[in-house]
Amino acid sequence: MTGALINGLLLGMLYGGVALGLALVAGVMRLPNLAHSELLIGAAFLIGALQDRLGWDPLLCAVLVAPVMFAIAYPLQRLVLTPTMLRGFEPPLVAAFGISMTVQTLLVIAFSSNPRSLQASYSTGGFGVLGVTVRAVMVVAVAVTVVMALVLF
């Protein structure tokens, strides 16, 4: 019971961090870009592909993938979404849906729809809290969420 409560709390805070990111994007840019999540999943697939081929740590692969994703996402924002923002709320939303669906289709074609996980020694490691093993990755995610919440609010 305690384990489920702790893991549920940590997972809920992780979802809170995702919601903070979406709220920031929607509040600052006034555009709920729904393609961000697909680009993030695309980055995860690229990190997994690099890890499979090179055998490197996922965080090191992420450092390599980040500039590639920037090179993909920046032109999408600058050339597709920003020009449509002058035409009202609906055109950029429709464009974001179109980008989202296109990226989803390309990812299924390139990587299939089978679930995968990144392999790292620290992803399953943890420590005991109230007699329950808590994954260290979840604690880091909660810490980032709390810091983001404190900075934003």
Side-chain angles (χ1 to χ4, degrees):
M1 176 68 179
T2 306
L5 185 63
I6 290 173
N7 284 326
L9 181 66
L10 291 173
L11 188 60
M13 293 184 86
L14 177 63
Y15 290 153
V18 172
L20 280 172
L22 288 173
L24 179 66
V25 169
V28 172
M29 297 179 63
R30 299 199 187 345
L31 169 68
N33 186 352
L34 304 172
H36 279 157
S37 57
E38 278 75 16
L39 294 174
L40 182 63
I41 297 300
F45 274 122
L46 288 176
I47 290 168
L50 274 177
Q51 185 188 23
D52 287 346
R53 284 186 178 76
L54 303 176
W56 292 354
D57 184 82
L59 293 177
L60 179 61
C61 294
V63 171
L64 298 176
V65 168
V68 172
M69 295 311 295
F70 176 81
I72 293 169
Y74 185 77
L76 281 175
Q77 176 68 39
R78 190 56 97 177
L79 300 174
V80 177
L81 296 173
T82 301
T84 62
M85 290 175 70
L86 301 173
R87 298 184 180 137
F89 182 73
E90 292 84 12
L93 191 60
V94 170
F97 270 119
I99 293 170
S100 174
M101 292 172 61
T102 303
V103 172
Q104 283 179 24
T105 303
L106 291 174
L107 289 174
V108 168
I109 290 169
F111 297 104
S112 81
S113 61
N114 297 331
R116 301 172 186 187
S117 63
L118 298 174
Q119 302 301 320
S121 60
Y122 49 82
S123 66
T124 57
F127 51 90
V129 174
L130 300 173
V132 177
T133 301
V134 178
R135 293 187 338 194
V137 172
M138 295 298 281
V139 174
V140 170
V142 167
V144 169
T145 300
V146 169
V147 169
M148 284 174 45
L150 291 174
V151 169
L152 292 174
F153 303 106

